[in-house]
Short mmCIF file of all heavy atoms in Angstrom, two decimals:
data_model
loop_
_atom_site.label_atom_id
_atom_site.label_comp_id
_atom_site.label_asym_id
_atom_site.label_seq_id
_atom_site.Cartn_x
_atom_site.Cartn_y
_atom_site.Cartn_z
N ARG D 70 81.75 107.13 87.17
CA ARG D 70 81.54 106.01 86.30
C ARG D 70 81.91 106.24 84.86
O ARG D 70 81.88 105.34 84.07
CB ARG D 70 80.04 105.57 86.37
CG ARG D 70 79.55 105.34 87.76
CD ARG D 70 78.05 105.08 87.78
NE ARG D 70 77.35 106.19 87.15
CZ ARG D 70 76.04 106.24 86.87
NH1 ARG D 70 75.28 105.12 87.15
NH2 ARG D 70 75.45 107.26 86.39
N ASN D 71 82.17 107.50 84.51
CA ASN D 71 82.43 107.79 83.07
C ASN D 71 83.84 108.35 82.91
O ASN D 71 84.59 108.54 83.87
CB ASN D 71 81.33 108.77 82.60
CG ASN D 71 80.84 108.36 81.19
OD1 ASN D 71 81.60 107.89 80.41
ND2 ASN D 71 79.59 108.61 80.93
N TYR D 72 84.16 108.61 81.71
CA TYR D 72 85.46 109.15 81.41
C TYR D 72 85.64 110.56 82.07
O TYR D 72 84.70 111.27 82.24
CB TYR D 72 85.64 109.29 79.88
CG TYR D 72 85.72 107.99 79.15
CD1 TYR D 72 84.78 107.63 78.19
CD2 TYR D 72 86.75 107.07 79.39
CE1 TYR D 72 84.86 106.48 77.46
CE2 TYR D 72 86.81 105.86 78.73
CZ TYR D 72 85.84 105.54 77.74
OH TYR D 72 85.88 104.40 77.03
N GLY D 73 86.89 110.86 82.34
CA GLY D 73 87.18 112.18 82.88
C GLY D 73 88.20 112.18 84.01
O GLY D 73 88.59 111.10 84.46
N ASP D 74 88.53 113.34 84.55
CA ASP D 74 89.42 113.44 85.71
C ASP D 74 90.70 112.59 85.53
O ASP D 74 91.05 111.79 86.37
CB ASP D 74 88.67 112.98 87.00
CG ASP D 74 87.82 114.08 87.61
OD1 ASP D 74 88.25 115.25 87.58
OD2 ASP D 74 86.71 113.75 87.99
N LEU D 75 91.43 112.96 84.53
CA LEU D 75 92.74 112.21 84.23
C LEU D 75 93.68 112.25 85.45
O LEU D 75 94.31 111.21 85.69
CB LEU D 75 93.46 112.93 83.05
CG LEU D 75 94.81 112.31 82.63
CD1 LEU D 75 94.66 110.93 82.13
CD2 LEU D 75 95.52 113.22 81.68
N ASP D 76 93.69 113.29 86.22
CA ASP D 76 94.70 113.38 87.30
C ASP D 76 94.07 112.84 88.60
O ASP D 76 94.69 112.98 89.65
CB ASP D 76 95.24 114.81 87.45
CG ASP D 76 94.14 115.85 87.43
OD1 ASP D 76 92.94 115.47 87.44
OD2 ASP D 76 94.47 117.05 87.38
N GLY D 77 92.92 112.25 88.52
CA GLY D 77 92.32 111.66 89.75
C GLY D 77 91.18 112.58 90.25
O GLY D 77 91.20 113.78 90.03
N ILE D 78 90.24 111.96 90.94
CA ILE D 78 89.14 112.76 91.47
C ILE D 78 89.66 113.58 92.67
O ILE D 78 90.61 113.21 93.38
CB ILE D 78 87.92 111.85 91.93
CG1 ILE D 78 88.30 110.96 93.10
CG2 ILE D 78 87.40 111.07 90.74
CD1 ILE D 78 87.07 110.22 93.67
N GLY D 79 89.11 114.75 92.82
CA GLY D 79 89.60 115.66 93.83
C GLY D 79 89.78 115.15 95.16
O GLY D 79 90.83 115.30 95.84
N GLU D 80 88.75 114.42 95.69
CA GLU D 80 88.84 113.96 97.05
C GLU D 80 89.95 112.90 97.26
O GLU D 80 90.53 112.80 98.35
CB GLU D 80 87.50 113.46 97.60
CG GLU D 80 86.72 112.51 96.68
CD GLU D 80 85.71 113.21 95.84
OE1 GLU D 80 86.07 114.12 95.07
OE2 GLU D 80 84.48 112.91 95.96
N CYS D 81 90.25 112.15 96.24
CA CYS D 81 91.26 111.15 96.40
C CYS D 81 92.68 111.85 96.21
O CYS D 81 93.67 111.40 96.87
CB CYS D 81 91.11 110.06 95.36
SG CYS D 81 91.98 108.53 95.69
N ARG D 82 92.75 112.82 95.38
CA ARG D 82 94.01 113.61 95.32
C ARG D 82 94.32 114.25 96.69
O ARG D 82 95.49 114.21 97.12
CB ARG D 82 93.87 114.65 94.26
CG ARG D 82 93.94 114.12 92.80
CD ARG D 82 93.72 115.24 91.80
NE ARG D 82 94.89 116.08 91.65
CZ ARG D 82 94.99 117.26 91.05
NH1 ARG D 82 93.83 117.74 90.61
NH2 ARG D 82 96.06 117.91 91.03
N ARG D 83 93.32 114.76 97.33
CA ARG D 83 93.48 115.30 98.64
C ARG D 83 93.97 114.24 99.62
O ARG D 83 94.91 114.48 100.41
CB ARG D 83 92.10 115.93 99.08
CG ARG D 83 91.90 116.15 100.58
CD ARG D 83 92.85 117.17 101.22
NE ARG D 83 92.75 118.44 100.49
CZ ARG D 83 93.74 119.34 100.32
NH1 ARG D 83 94.93 119.04 100.77
NH2 ARG D 83 93.53 120.47 99.65
N LEU D 84 93.31 113.08 99.62
CA LEU D 84 93.71 111.97 100.51
C LEU D 84 95.14 111.63 100.36
O LEU D 84 95.94 111.51 101.30
CB LEU D 84 92.76 110.83 100.33
CG LEU D 84 92.93 109.62 101.27
CD1 LEU D 84 92.33 109.92 102.65
CD2 LEU D 84 92.26 108.38 100.65
N MET D 85 95.54 111.41 99.06
CA MET D 85 96.85 110.98 98.82
C MET D 85 97.85 112.05 99.09
O MET D 85 99.02 111.80 99.53
CB MET D 85 96.99 110.47 97.38
CG MET D 85 96.15 109.22 96.99
SD MET D 85 96.49 107.73 98.14
CE MET D 85 97.98 107.09 97.27
N ALA D 86 97.50 113.33 98.77
CA ALA D 86 98.38 114.47 99.05
C ALA D 86 98.67 114.51 100.50
O ALA D 86 99.85 114.71 100.95
CB ALA D 86 97.75 115.75 98.55
N ASP D 87 97.66 114.39 101.34
CA ASP D 87 97.86 114.42 102.79
C ASP D 87 98.72 113.30 103.25
O ASP D 87 99.58 113.44 104.17
CB ASP D 87 96.50 114.47 103.53
CG ASP D 87 95.75 115.76 103.34
OD1 ASP D 87 96.42 116.76 102.85
OD2 ASP D 87 94.56 115.90 103.65
#
Side-chain angles (χ1 to χ4, degrees):
Chain D
R70 304 173 304 172
N71 223 326
Y72 294 119
D74 276 323
L75 177 68
D76 48 9
I78 65 170
E80 46 265 61
C81 199
R82 289 176 73 197
R83 160 65 56 212
L84 185 74
M85 295 303 280
D87 288 349

